[in-house]
Amino acid sequence: MSVTPLAAAHPSARPAPAFRGRIGRDARSGHYAVPRRYRLHLAAADPDCLRIAVTHSLLGLERACPVTFLPAVPDCADGGHSELRPLYDASAHRYTGPALAPVLSDDWSGRIVSSHGPDIARDLARRFGGGRPTLYPCAAESQIEAVERMCGQGIEEAAQRAGAADAQEAERAAALDTLLGTLGVLERGLGSHEYLISDQITAADVELWVALVQLDTVHRHHLDATAVHRVADHPALWAYARRLAAHPAFGAHLDLDAISRRHHARCQGLEAAGAAVQILDWKTHTAEVTAVRPQVRRS
């Protein structure tokens, strides 16, 4: 499937990361790939963390890069995790911002390498991925980046604007049109393909699957029932989401209760009629794979 960026995309709403170090090729880069040197700190209800968790499992990095899972709802008033505060304090002098996940930390130094989700996922795949699935195929980087923009702007941000209680009706309608237009492009592309841009799972599939999870488990709660029915009317797209949910690397990390608790703790909008119109029965599609959920600490 050929993917191009949205022409009328809005700037990304993702917050700027506090740390953005990278894992390089060798010792000259400071941070380089060494088994069990690094640790991931993830709250799987957070979409960035869910993307990393799926990527981590697809690559089979459970032993090479251990994971600590954090509570679904942060326990600090500023939206951060108290468990991450020592890492943030050790990594930045007089750091005053929230201690947010995701975090990739360096056990050798006790400091944070990165808190930027897309960089973390890429470094896991590129620096630890030898002999493992190729999630970032050669010559596909521009397509993967285009999918990231489509998901971030054409699905997640458009769905948020379409359900915003304080927005004008015309603004909500335009946002819904953007959302449906994006889903339509993806629907047509997936009609004859099993995966998004290749004949195997890539980072683009991880990105899209998480966006669809968020659309059905979070954003639809603020859309009216008619809008949700129109969103659901993309059979190839939702069959694709259902198929990936049954894959152990995807479904084993889908904690619906955690997503619900995080949503209700953060959401300030009004629930609409679309909340009663579930698109996929995620519990049914992940029933077999949740039994093999990775054995890592979940608070």
Side-chain angles (χ1 to χ4, degrees), residues 14-245:
R14 285 176 175 164
F19 302 93
R20 199 166 176 179
R22 303 299 299 267
I23 297 178
R25 295 181 179 275
D26 51 42
R28 291 174 297 179
S29 62
H31 293 109
Y32 55 99
V34 178
R36 303 194 69 82
R37 173 178 176 177
Y38 304 98
R39 175 174 293 275
L40 287 166
H41 306 261
L42 306 175
D46 173 87
D48 268 349
C49 292
L50 181 55
R51 291 181 187 95
I52 294 170
V54 172
T55 299
H56 181 267
S57 288
L58 285 169
L59 294 168
L61 296 178
E62 289 77 12
R63 292 180 61 83
C65 183
V67 182
T68 294
F69 279 91
L70 302 163
V73 180
D75 57 349
C76 294
D78 61 3
H81 294 271
S82 60
E83 187 172 336
L84 293 178
R85 176 54 58 180
L87 275 173
Y88 272 80
D89 289 342
S91 305
H93 182 59
R94 295 183 178 177
Y95 177 80
T96 58
L100 302 175
V103 161
L104 176 68
S105 66
D106 180 358
D107 283 351
W108 289 6
S109 68
R111 296 184 178 182
I112 294 172
V113 177
S114 179
S115 58
H116 185 252
D119 286 352
I120 293 172
R122 280 174 168 77
D123 287 351
L124 290 176
R126 291 171 174 167
R127 305 309 179 203
F128 289 92
R132 305 177 191 273
T134 305
L135 300 183
Y136 293 86
C138 294
E141 185 68 26
S142 62
Q143 284 188 290
I144 292 172
E145 290 178 352
V147 170
E148 290 174 348
R149 288 192 290 273
M150 288 180 74
C151 291
Q153 300 162 3
I155 298 179
E156 296 185 23
E157 291 180 18
Q160 288 177 349
R161 296 197 307 277
D166 58 349
Q168 297 294 321
E169 181 61 33
E171 182 182 356
R172 291 197 298 270
L176 181 60
D177 286 344
T178 296
L179 171 61
L180 295 172
T182 302
L183 297 180
V185 170
L186 295 166
E187 172 76 9
R188 291 189 291 275
L190 284 168
S192 58
H193 294 83
E194 186 174 5
Y195 302 115
L196 196 55
I197 64 172
S198 176
D199 59 358
Q200 64 182 29
I201 293 173
T202 68
D205 297 295
V206 178
E207 189 76 25
L208 176 56
W209 185 77
V210 172
L212 294 175
V213 168
Q214 290 290 302
L215 180 56
D216 190 21
T217 63
V218 174
H219 301 310
R220 90 176 146 77
H221 289 267
H222 306 291
L223 299 175
D224 63 43
T226 300
V228 176
H229 283 298
R230 295 177 70 188
V231 167
D233 190 22
H234 296 85
L237 189 59
W238 292 106
Y240 160 89
R242 182 170 59 247
R243 188 169 64 250
L244 288 182

